[in-house]
Amino acid sequence: YAVRGQIYYLDNGNNKMAIQQADKLLKKHKDLHCAKVLKAIGLQRTGKQDEAYALAQEVAALEPTDDNSLQALTILYREMHRPELVTKLYEAAVKKVPNSEEYHSHLFMAYARVGEYKKMQQAGMALYKIVPKNPYYFWSVMSLIMQSISAQDENLSKTMFLPLAERMVEKMVKEDKIEAEAEVELYYMILERLEKYKEALDVVRGKLGEKLTSELQSRENKCMAMYKKLCRWPECNALSRRLLLKNSDDWQFYITYFDSVFQLIDESWTPPPEEEHSLEGEVHYSIEQAVKFIEERITEESKSSRPLRGPYLAKLELIRRLRYRGCNDEYKLGDPEELMFQYFKKFGDKPCCFTDLKVFVDLLPSSQYTKFISQLLEVIPLSATAESEIALPADIKALQQHLCVVQLSRLLGIYHAMDKKQKLTVVRELMLRYRHGLEFGKSCLKTELQFSDYYCLLAVHLLLDLWLEGEETAVWQCLTLLEEGLSHSPSNAQFKLLLIRIYCRLALMRNTYSTTPSGG
Amino acid sequence: MTTLRAFTCDDLFRFNNILVLNPWPQYGIPFYLQYLAHWPEYFIVAEAPGGELMGYIMGKAEGSVAREEWHGHVTALSVAPEFRRLGLAAKLMELLEEISEKKGGFFVDLFVRVSNQVAVNMYKQLGYSVYRTVLEYYSASNGEPDEDAYDMRKALSRDTEKKSIIPLPHPVRPEDIE
């Protein structure tokens, strides 16, 4: 069948043949709509927009109701980026065939593409009248929510669209017609936007909430969000405590646990006598309990062969909170310096050690910075060899530990305080370490980074500091070092980005293009 | 320490550090949004205490239940270089497997480049085995030959006799995959 031939040509990008084929067909059957539209698609794809449009409109004006023409026109309008024309198409189609579930569906989708929410709502209900399937009803509900979100008048959202959506869902609930998880999600969304937090909580905790099965911890997460909105700190605390017992590495629950404990302390909350502490179980409402809880998590973790970082960092966070309230000393949690040192001993060989400790460096007094760094350096196994003046790491773990310390040194401003000569000495040392570290990365793939790349980066940044302070020649050394680094680590995006920035600053645009193609 | 939560649209603006080492070509935004719309429960991101995104996993569920081929599929799994060696990939895989179990899947599968020994070994350690080889699955962009993929599988509890992971005796072509 010749039309299929046209489609074949179009699918394979052979627009010329498609057009030729169409002309052949149209000579014999000049009103073959489908062939005309497919010809229009061919024209559109060869850049003849106006011709294509004119041809398409010839067909559209006849208000076709055959599937092939409709689909072909939809494709054409989409390629022309004229989605509003698809709505007109199907509006005409459903007028002629008012009971077509398919055309009403397409009409709904067409409205969705142009964001005509009110019309979507109507199309949804029209569909539901033809075939009372839940999805169609809830498409309507969803369209109401979209209207409420996009309404210019906030009041209208809260007093018209959302309440209407709510009533629509309540009707289905009353008639026990709720089927899908998505319907419950919509209900929750409506109640949340109406700020009916208690009602939302009841839905999630009730029978309907049992449908929330796809996402892990969906019910717990939604309950937690509602407890926070309702300021129900006992529940927040009990739930976060339970979730931490399940996974003591999940940071967001430590934050909630601490937030809620301190709220309860400020409210002087005590558990009700002879009753459950809260809907979610046992509550911690004193600092002693919080301290004990964290210490227990740490004890648990220290038994594991691969301890999780969570409890250790949580302890530092607790110290920060107590300090903020002016009461750290009483609880004997220890000095942050000591805890961070212990943390480094445990996790210093992991790349994330730096970003973890970075969160808590504000707990260190600045007078202690140098001492802290020295302390860390002492525990790294480094040894000087005959060839090298400096003590070097013997394996990747030691290298990573040392890198962490170097990064911390920069963060704490230790390099910043140095004069030019000292900085240049540091640069020299960092590059020695960088080149030495390449030994460990001999088997790295082109798509991986070298273990010692950060040494090179930090050396470059120190030189950049000097350049910005007026050392003209420093920038040239930057470029050399970065190109050296890139030659060993072709995937390192930071090398590339720095090179691009520096070349641009120096107005050397030519090199900029050769460094970008790999998407780094 | 890791917050594990649902990936959101806004995270698309923040996860360059995770993508930075992915081989070319990379997925476009429509690809991610499609997964976010269709299978949001499988799209999980890990966030560090300082707010950096550490890694993410993206997947879907497909296949016929009647043919016992209903399964979870790992589409993408990536951990940023600065957050490696924390067992995060294993944790994300564990979550995807848990979701697939909840959905009654028979197995979980994924495709990995034959040359990516590091990844192949990691999945083996997590209990995956090679089910079949798919010839020239990965098309190369720069004149190099296309690369084969291993289709690796792990049986879930619904597959009581572990039938889904019996390896095929011969490789297949991409056209032959459902």
Side-chain angles (χ1 to χ4, degrees), chain A residues 198-253:
Chain A
K198 175 85 184 46
E199 289 81 343
L201 186 61
D202 290 338
V203 168
V204 175
R205 287 183 59 91
K207 195 119 196 355
L208 288 176
E210 288 169 22
K211 291 197 190 290
L212 297 170
T213 54
S214 290
E215 198 186 305
L216 291 177
Q217 289 188 341
S218 176
R219 287 176 96 179
E220 289 88 336
N221 286 334
K222 290 180 160 70
C223 285
M224 187 72 92
M226 292 303 98
Y227 291 143
K228 284 187 187 171
K229 293 278 191 191
L230 291 165
C231 294
R232 284 172 62 162
W233 307 118
E235 276 74 17
C236 271
N237 184 275
L239 183 54
S240 49
R241 186 189 138 270
R242 271 213 336 248
L243 292 172
L244 283 170
L245 286 172
K246 257 181 33 184
N247 176 7
S248 65
D249 203 40
D250 207 320
W251 181 245
Q252 60 187 319
F253 299 127

Short mmCIF file of all heavy atoms in Angstrom, two decimals, chain A residues 198-253:
data_model
loop_
_atom_site.label_atom_id
_atom_site.label_comp_id
_atom_site.label_asym_id
_atom_site.label_seq_id
_atom_site.Cartn_x
_atom_site.Cartn_y
_atom_site.Cartn_z
N LYS A 198 -3.63 18.10 59.08
CA LYS A 198 -4.17 17.03 59.93
C LYS A 198 -4.90 16.00 59.05
O LYS A 198 -4.75 14.79 59.21
CB LYS A 198 -5.13 17.66 60.96
CG LYS A 198 -5.88 16.68 61.84
CD LYS A 198 -5.03 16.29 63.05
CE LYS A 198 -5.66 15.23 63.95
NZ LYS A 198 -6.22 14.08 63.27
N GLU A 199 -5.71 16.53 58.12
CA GLU A 199 -6.45 15.64 57.23
C GLU A 199 -5.50 14.81 56.36
O GLU A 199 -5.71 13.62 56.14
CB GLU A 199 -7.40 16.45 56.33
CG GLU A 199 -8.60 17.07 57.04
CD GLU A 199 -8.26 18.37 57.77
OE1 GLU A 199 -7.07 18.65 58.01
OE2 GLU A 199 -9.20 19.11 58.11
N ALA A 200 -4.44 15.47 55.87
CA ALA A 200 -3.46 14.76 55.04
C ALA A 200 -2.82 13.63 55.84
O ALA A 200 -2.64 12.51 55.34
CB ALA A 200 -2.39 15.73 54.55
N LEU A 201 -2.48 13.94 57.08
CA LEU A 201 -1.87 12.93 57.94
C LEU A 201 -2.81 11.74 58.14
O LEU A 201 -2.40 10.58 58.05
CB LEU A 201 -1.54 13.56 59.29
CG LEU A 201 -0.77 12.72 60.30
CD1 LEU A 201 0.59 12.34 59.74
CD2 LEU A 201 -0.60 13.49 61.60
N ASP A 202 -4.09 12.06 58.37
CA ASP A 202 -5.07 10.98 58.57
C ASP A 202 -5.17 10.10 57.33
O ASP A 202 -5.30 8.88 57.44
CB ASP A 202 -6.45 11.58 58.91
CG ASP A 202 -6.46 12.20 60.29
OD1 ASP A 202 -5.59 11.82 61.12
OD2 ASP A 202 -7.30 13.07 60.56
N VAL A 203 -5.13 10.71 56.14
CA VAL A 203 -5.21 9.92 54.92
C VAL A 203 -4.03 8.96 54.83
O VAL A 203 -4.18 7.77 54.57
CB VAL A 203 -5.23 10.83 53.67
CG1 VAL A 203 -5.03 10.02 52.40
CG2 VAL A 203 -6.55 11.59 53.59
N VAL A 204 -2.83 9.48 55.11
CA VAL A 204 -1.62 8.65 54.97
C VAL A 204 -1.60 7.53 56.01
O VAL A 204 -1.22 6.39 55.71
CB VAL A 204 -0.35 9.51 55.10
CG1 VAL A 204 0.89 8.63 55.08
CG2 VAL A 204 -0.29 10.51 53.97
N ARG A 205 -2.04 7.87 57.23
CA ARG A 205 -2.00 6.86 58.29
C ARG A 205 -3.17 5.88 58.19
O ARG A 205 -3.14 4.81 58.79
CB ARG A 205 -2.02 7.55 59.66
CG ARG A 205 -0.71 8.24 60.01
CD ARG A 205 -0.80 8.82 61.42
NE ARG A 205 -1.09 7.78 62.39
CZ ARG A 205 -0.19 7.08 63.05
NH1 ARG A 205 1.08 7.31 62.85
NH2 ARG A 205 -0.54 6.16 63.92
N GLY A 206 -4.21 6.28 57.42
CA GLY A 206 -5.41 5.45 57.33
C GLY A 206 -5.34 4.40 56.25
O GLY A 206 -4.28 4.11 55.69
N LYS A 207 -6.51 3.85 55.94
CA LYS A 207 -6.59 2.75 54.98
C LYS A 207 -6.04 3.15 53.61
O LYS A 207 -5.35 2.37 52.95
CB LYS A 207 -8.07 2.34 54.85
CG LYS A 207 -8.27 1.00 54.18
CD LYS A 207 -8.97 0.01 55.12
CE LYS A 207 -8.88 -1.45 54.66
NZ LYS A 207 -8.28 -1.75 53.40
N LEU A 208 -6.37 4.36 53.16
CA LEU A 208 -5.91 4.79 51.84
C LEU A 208 -4.39 4.80 51.76
O LEU A 208 -3.81 4.51 50.72
CB LEU A 208 -6.45 6.19 51.52
CG LEU A 208 -7.95 6.27 51.21
CD1 LEU A 208 -8.37 7.71 51.00
CD2 LEU A 208 -8.29 5.45 49.99
N GLY A 209 -3.77 5.12 52.87
CA GLY A 209 -2.31 5.20 52.89
C GLY A 209 -1.65 3.87 52.58
O GLY A 209 -0.48 3.83 52.19
N GLU A 210 -2.39 2.79 52.75
CA GLU A 210 -1.82 1.47 52.46
C GLU A 210 -1.48 1.31 50.99
O GLU A 210 -0.70 0.43 50.63
CB GLU A 210 -2.78 0.36 52.89
CG GLU A 210 -2.88 0.20 54.40
CD GLU A 210 -4.04 -0.72 54.80
OE1 GLU A 210 -4.46 -1.51 53.94
OE2 GLU A 210 -4.51 -0.61 55.94
N LYS A 211 -2.08 2.16 50.16
CA LYS A 211 -1.78 2.04 48.72
C LYS A 211 -0.43 2.68 48.37
O LYS A 211 0.07 2.49 47.26
CB LYS A 211 -2.87 2.72 47.90
CG LYS A 211 -4.19 1.98 47.96
CD LYS A 211 -5.10 2.44 46.84
CE LYS A 211 -6.50 1.90 47.03
NZ LYS A 211 -6.55 0.45 46.83
N LEU A 212 0.15 3.42 49.30
CA LEU A 212 1.41 4.11 49.00
C LEU A 212 2.56 3.14 49.12
O LEU A 212 3.31 3.15 50.09
CB LEU A 212 1.59 5.29 49.97
CG LEU A 212 0.52 6.37 49.87
CD1 LEU A 212 0.66 7.35 51.04
CD2 LEU A 212 0.64 7.11 48.56
N THR A 213 2.72 2.29 48.10
CA THR A 213 3.70 1.22 48.20
C THR A 213 4.90 1.35 47.28
O THR A 213 5.91 0.72 47.50
CB THR A 213 3.03 -0.13 47.85
OG1 THR A 213 2.41 0.01 46.58
CG2 THR A 213 2.03 -0.53 48.89
N SER A 214 4.80 2.14 46.23
CA SER A 214 5.89 2.15 45.25
C SER A 214 7.19 2.69 45.79
O SER A 214 8.24 2.08 45.67
CB SER A 214 5.51 2.98 44.03
OG SER A 214 4.52 2.34 43.31
N GLU A 215 7.10 3.87 46.40
CA GLU A 215 8.31 4.55 46.86
C GLU A 215 8.68 4.01 48.24
O GLU A 215 7.80 3.79 49.07
CB GLU A 215 7.98 6.03 46.95
CG GLU A 215 9.15 6.97 47.01
CD GLU A 215 8.67 8.40 47.26
OE1 GLU A 215 7.82 8.86 46.46
OE2 GLU A 215 9.11 9.01 48.24
N LEU A 216 9.96 3.81 48.47
CA LEU A 216 10.39 3.32 49.79
C LEU A 216 10.12 4.37 50.85
O LEU A 216 10.35 5.55 50.65
CB LEU A 216 11.89 3.01 49.77
CG LEU A 216 12.32 1.82 48.92
CD1 LEU A 216 13.83 1.69 48.95
CD2 LEU A 216 11.67 0.54 49.43
N GLN A 217 9.62 3.94 51.98
CA GLN A 217 9.34 4.83 53.11
C GLN A 217 8.40 5.98 52.74
O GLN A 217 8.47 7.05 53.31
CB GLN A 217 10.65 5.44 53.67
CG GLN A 217 11.48 4.40 54.38
CD GLN A 217 12.67 5.04 55.10
OE1 GLN A 217 13.08 6.15 54.81
NE2 GLN A 217 13.20 4.31 56.06
N SER A 218 7.51 5.74 51.77
CA SER A 218 6.64 6.82 51.31
C SER A 218 5.75 7.33 52.44
O SER A 218 5.63 8.54 52.67
CB SER A 218 5.76 6.31 50.15
OG SER A 218 4.86 7.31 49.77
N ARG A 219 5.14 6.38 53.17
CA ARG A 219 4.23 6.81 54.25
C ARG A 219 5.00 7.52 55.35
O ARG A 219 4.57 8.56 55.84
CB ARG A 219 3.51 5.59 54.84
CG ARG A 219 2.45 5.04 53.91
CD ARG A 219 1.84 3.78 54.47
NE ARG A 219 0.60 4.08 55.18
CZ ARG A 219 -0.16 3.15 55.75
NH1 ARG A 219 0.22 1.90 55.74
NH2 ARG A 219 -1.28 3.49 56.36
N GLU A 220 6.16 6.97 55.71
CA GLU A 220 6.95 7.60 56.77
C GLU A 220 7.37 9.01 56.37
O GLU A 220 7.28 9.95 57.16
CB GLU A 220 8.21 6.78 57.08
CG GLU A 220 7.95 5.47 57.80
CD GLU A 220 7.68 4.33 56.85
OE1 GLU A 220 7.25 4.59 55.71
OE2 GLU A 220 7.89 3.17 57.23
N ASN A 221 7.82 9.18 55.12
CA ASN A 221 8.27 10.51 54.66
C ASN A 221 7.13 11.51 54.68
O ASN A 221 7.30 12.67 55.09
CB ASN A 221 8.86 10.42 53.25
CG ASN A 221 10.23 9.78 53.25
OD1 ASN A 221 10.95 9.82 54.24
ND2 ASN A 221 10.60 9.18 52.14
N LYS A 222 5.94 11.07 54.24
CA LYS A 222 4.81 11.99 54.21
C LYS A 222 4.36 12.33 55.63
O LYS A 222 4.03 13.47 55.93
CB LYS A 222 3.65 11.39 53.42
CG LYS A 222 3.92 11.32 51.91
CD LYS A 222 2.76 10.72 51.16
CE LYS A 222 2.81 11.07 49.69
NZ LYS A 222 3.89 10.42 48.96
N CYS A 223 4.35 11.31 56.50
CA CYS A 223 3.98 11.58 57.90
C CYS A 223 4.94 12.58 58.51
O CYS A 223 4.52 13.54 59.17
CB CYS A 223 4.02 10.28 58.72
SG CYS A 223 2.63 9.20 58.42
N MET A 224 6.24 12.38 58.28
CA MET A 224 7.24 13.27 58.84
C MET A 224 7.00 14.70 58.38
O MET A 224 7.04 15.64 59.17
CB MET A 224 8.65 12.81 58.40
CG MET A 224 9.75 13.58 59.08
SD MET A 224 9.92 13.14 60.81
CE MET A 224 11.15 11.84 60.66
N ALA A 225 6.72 14.87 57.08
CA ALA A 225 6.48 16.21 56.55
C ALA A 225 5.29 16.86 57.26
O ALA A 225 5.31 18.05 57.59
CB ALA A 225 6.23 16.14 55.04
N MET A 226 4.25 16.08 57.50
CA MET A 226 3.06 16.62 58.15
C MET A 226 3.30 16.92 59.63
O MET A 226 2.83 17.94 60.15
CB MET A 226 1.87 15.66 58.00
CG MET A 226 1.37 15.54 56.56
SD MET A 226 0.88 17.13 55.82
CE MET A 226 2.32 17.58 54.89
N TYR A 227 4.02 16.03 60.31
CA TYR A 227 4.34 16.29 61.72
C TYR A 227 5.09 17.61 61.84
O TYR A 227 4.84 18.40 62.76
CB TYR A 227 5.21 15.17 62.30
CG TYR A 227 4.51 13.84 62.46
CD1 TYR A 227 5.19 12.66 62.22
CD2 TYR A 227 3.19 13.77 62.87
CE1 TYR A 227 4.56 11.43 62.36
CE2 TYR A 227 2.55 12.56 63.01
CZ TYR A 227 3.24 11.38 62.75
OH TYR A 227 2.61 10.18 62.88
N LYS A 228 6.02 17.87 60.89
CA LYS A 228 6.78 19.12 60.95
C LYS A 228 5.86 20.31 60.77
O LYS A 228 5.95 21.30 61.49
CB LYS A 228 7.86 19.13 59.87
CG LYS A 228 9.05 18.27 60.19
CD LYS A 228 10.15 18.46 59.16
CE LYS A 228 11.26 17.45 59.40
NZ LYS A 228 12.24 17.42 58.33
N LYS A 229 4.95 20.21 59.78
CA LYS A 229 4.04 21.33 59.53
C LYS A 229 3.14 21.57 60.74
O LYS A 229 2.76 22.69 61.05
CB LYS A 229 3.15 21.03 58.32
CG LYS A 229 3.89 20.96 57.02
CD LYS A 229 4.13 22.33 56.44
CE LYS A 229 4.64 22.19 55.03
NZ LYS A 229 5.13 23.39 54.45
N LEU A 230 2.76 20.49 61.41
CA LEU A 230 1.86 20.61 62.55
C LEU A 230 2.62 20.86 63.85
O LEU A 230 2.02 20.94 64.91
CB LEU A 230 1.03 19.31 62.69
CG LEU A 230 0.01 19.07 61.58
CD1 LEU A 230 -0.46 17.62 61.59
CD2 LEU A 230 -1.18 20.00 61.74
N CYS A 231 3.96 20.96 63.74
CA CYS A 231 4.81 21.16 64.92
C CYS A 231 4.59 20.09 65.98
O CYS A 231 4.60 20.38 67.19
CB CYS A 231 4.59 22.55 65.54
SG CYS A 231 5.13 23.85 64.42
N ARG A 232 4.35 18.87 65.51
CA ARG A 232 4.16 17.79 66.48
C ARG A 232 5.51 17.16 66.74
O ARG A 232 5.88 16.14 66.14
CB ARG A 232 3.15 16.78 65.92
CG ARG A 232 1.73 17.36 66.05
CD ARG A 232 0.70 16.54 65.37
NE ARG A 232 0.58 15.21 65.92
CZ ARG A 232 -0.47 14.43 65.71
NH1 ARG A 232 -1.48 14.88 65.00
NH2 ARG A 232 -0.51 13.22 66.20
N TRP A 233 6.26 17.78 67.62
CA TRP A 233 7.64 17.38 67.86
C TRP A 233 7.78 16.00 68.49
O TRP A 233 8.74 15.28 68.17
CB TRP A 233 8.38 18.45 68.69
CG TRP A 233 8.25 19.80 68.05
CD1 TRP A 233 7.66 20.92 68.57
CD2 TRP A 233 8.70 20.18 66.74
NE1 TRP A 233 7.69 21.95 67.68
CE2 TRP A 233 8.33 21.55 66.54
CE3 TRP A 233 9.37 19.52 65.72
CZ2 TRP A 233 8.62 22.25 65.38
CZ3 TRP A 233 9.66 20.22 64.54
CH2 TRP A 233 9.28 21.57 64.39
N PRO A 234 6.86 15.57 69.37
CA PRO A 234 7.00 14.20 69.88
C PRO A 234 7.00 13.18 68.74
O PRO A 234 7.84 12.28 68.71
CB PRO A 234 5.77 14.03 70.78
CG PRO A 234 5.37 15.40 71.17
CD PRO A 234 5.73 16.27 70.02
N GLU A 235 6.07 13.35 67.79
CA GLU A 235 6.01 12.40 66.68
C GLU A 235 7.24 12.51 65.79
O GLU A 235 7.79 11.49 65.35
CB GLU A 235 4.75 12.66 65.83
CG GLU A 235 3.50 11.99 66.35
CD GLU A 235 2.94 12.67 67.59
OE1 GLU A 235 3.33 13.83 67.83
OE2 GLU A 235 2.12 12.07 68.31
N CYS A 236 7.68 13.74 65.53
CA CYS A 236 8.89 13.94 64.70
C CYS A 236 10.04 13.18 65.31
O CYS A 236 10.80 12.48 64.62
CB CYS A 236 9.29 15.42 64.68
SG CYS A 236 8.53 16.34 63.37
N ASN A 237 10.18 13.33 66.62
CA ASN A 237 11.32 12.73 67.30
C ASN A 237 11.22 11.21 67.28
O ASN A 237 12.18 10.51 66.93
CB ASN A 237 11.39 13.24 68.73
CG ASN A 237 12.60 12.71 69.45
OD1 ASN A 237 12.58 11.61 70.00
ND2 ASN A 237 13.67 13.47 69.42
N ALA A 238 10.03 10.70 67.66
CA ALA A 238 9.87 9.24 67.72
C ALA A 238 10.09 8.61 66.35
O ALA A 238 10.75 7.57 66.22
CB ALA A 238 8.49 8.90 68.26
N LEU A 239 9.56 9.23 65.30
CA LEU A 239 9.69 8.66 63.96
C LEU A 239 11.14 8.72 63.48
O LEU A 239 11.67 7.74 62.94
CB LEU A 239 8.77 9.39 62.98
CG LEU A 239 8.74 8.86 61.54
CD1 LEU A 239 8.43 7.37 61.50
CD2 LEU A 239 7.73 9.63 60.70
N SER A 240 11.80 9.86 63.69
CA SER A 240 13.19 9.94 63.23
C SER A 240 14.07 8.99 64.02
O SER A 240 14.99 8.37 63.48
CB SER A 240 13.73 11.37 63.28
OG SER A 240 13.47 11.95 64.53
N ARG A 241 13.74 8.81 65.29
CA ARG A 241 14.50 7.86 66.11
C ARG A 241 14.37 6.46 65.53
O ARG A 241 15.36 5.73 65.37
CB ARG A 241 13.97 7.91 67.53
CG ARG A 241 14.76 7.10 68.53
CD ARG A 241 14.02 7.02 69.86
NE ARG A 241 14.11 5.67 70.39
CZ ARG A 241 13.26 4.69 70.17
NH1 ARG A 241 12.17 4.92 69.46
NH2 ARG A 241 13.44 3.49 70.65
N ARG A 242 13.14 6.07 65.19
CA ARG A 242 12.89 4.74 64.62
C ARG A 242 13.61 4.57 63.30
O ARG A 242 14.21 3.53 63.03
CB ARG A 242 11.39 4.55 64.39
CG ARG A 242 10.66 3.98 65.56
CD ARG A 242 9.49 3.11 65.17
NE ARG A 242 8.95 3.38 63.86
CZ ARG A 242 7.75 3.88 63.63
NH1 ARG A 242 6.99 4.22 64.64
NH2 ARG A 242 7.32 4.08 62.41
N LEU A 243 13.56 5.59 62.45
CA LEU A 243 14.20 5.48 61.14
C LEU A 243 15.72 5.44 61.27
O LEU A 243 16.40 4.79 60.48
CB LEU A 243 13.75 6.64 60.25
CG LEU A 243 12.27 6.58 59.85
CD1 LEU A 243 11.84 7.84 59.12
CD2 LEU A 243 11.99 5.36 58.98
N LEU A 244 16.25 6.11 62.29
CA LEU A 244 17.70 6.05 62.51
C LEU A 244 18.12 4.68 63.01
O LEU A 244 19.21 4.20 62.72
CB LEU A 244 18.14 7.13 63.50
CG LEU A 244 18.22 8.53 62.91
CD1 LEU A 244 18.44 9.56 64.01
CD2 LEU A 244 19.35 8.62 61.88
N LEU A 245 17.25 4.03 63.77
CA LEU A 245 17.58 2.68 64.22
C LEU A 245 17.65 1.74 63.03
O LEU A 245 18.45 0.81 63.01
CB LEU A 245 16.53 2.19 65.24
CG LEU A 245 16.62 2.82 66.62
CD1 LEU A 245 15.42 2.41 67.49
CD2 LEU A 245 17.91 2.42 67.33
N LYS A 246 16.83 2.03 62.00
CA LYS A 246 16.86 1.20 60.79
C LYS A 246 18.08 1.51 59.94
O LYS A 246 18.70 0.64 59.37
CB LYS A 246 15.60 1.45 59.95
CG LYS A 246 14.60 0.34 60.10
CD LYS A 246 13.33 0.43 59.31
CE LYS A 246 13.30 1.06 57.96
NZ LYS A 246 11.92 1.10 57.44
N ASN A 247 18.41 2.77 59.85
CA ASN A 247 19.56 3.19 59.03
C ASN A 247 20.25 4.35 59.71
O ASN A 247 19.81 5.50 59.62
CB ASN A 247 19.09 3.61 57.64
CG ASN A 247 20.25 4.13 56.79
OD1 ASN A 247 21.41 4.06 57.19
ND2 ASN A 247 19.94 4.68 55.63
N SER A 248 21.35 4.02 60.41
CA SER A 248 21.99 5.07 61.21
C SER A 248 22.90 5.96 60.38
O SER A 248 23.72 6.69 60.91
CB SER A 248 22.80 4.44 62.34
OG SER A 248 23.85 3.68 61.79
N ASP A 249 22.74 5.92 59.06
CA ASP A 249 23.60 6.77 58.23
C ASP A 249 22.81 7.89 57.56
O ASP A 249 23.36 8.72 56.87
CB ASP A 249 24.26 5.91 57.15
CG ASP A 249 25.55 6.53 56.62
OD1 ASP A 249 26.31 7.08 57.44
OD2 ASP A 249 25.78 6.49 55.40
N ASP A 250 21.48 7.91 57.78
CA ASP A 250 20.67 8.86 57.03
C ASP A 250 20.65 10.23 57.71
O ASP A 250 19.96 10.42 58.71
CB ASP A 250 19.25 8.31 56.84
CG ASP A 250 18.59 8.87 55.59
OD1 ASP A 250 18.77 10.07 55.32
OD2 ASP A 250 17.89 8.11 54.90
N TRP A 251 21.40 11.16 57.14
CA TRP A 251 21.65 12.47 57.74
C TRP A 251 20.38 13.25 58.02
O TRP A 251 20.24 13.87 59.08
CB TRP A 251 22.57 13.26 56.80
CG TRP A 251 22.97 14.62 57.27
CD1 TRP A 251 22.65 15.82 56.69
CD2 TRP A 251 23.78 14.95 58.41
NE1 TRP A 251 23.21 16.85 57.39
CE2 TRP A 251 23.91 16.36 58.45
CE3 TRP A 251 24.40 14.20 59.40
CZ2 TRP A 251 24.64 17.01 59.43
CZ3 TRP A 251 25.13 14.85 60.38
CH2 TRP A 251 25.24 16.25 60.39
N GLN A 252 19.41 13.22 57.06
CA GLN A 252 18.22 14.07 57.22
C GLN A 252 17.47 13.74 58.50
O GLN A 252 16.86 14.61 59.14
CB GLN A 252 17.28 13.90 56.02
CG GLN A 252 16.78 12.47 55.85
CD GLN A 252 15.99 12.27 54.57
OE1 GLN A 252 15.19 13.11 54.19
NE2 GLN A 252 16.21 11.13 53.91
N PHE A 253 17.54 12.48 58.96
CA PHE A 253 16.81 12.11 60.17
C PHE A 253 17.55 12.52 61.44
O PHE A 253 16.93 12.76 62.47
CB PHE A 253 16.46 10.63 60.16
CG PHE A 253 15.58 10.25 59.01
CD1 PHE A 253 15.91 9.21 58.16
CD2 PHE A 253 14.42 10.97 58.75
CE1 PHE A 253 15.11 8.88 57.08
CE2 PHE A 253 13.61 10.66 57.66
CZ PHE A 253 13.96 9.62 56.82
#
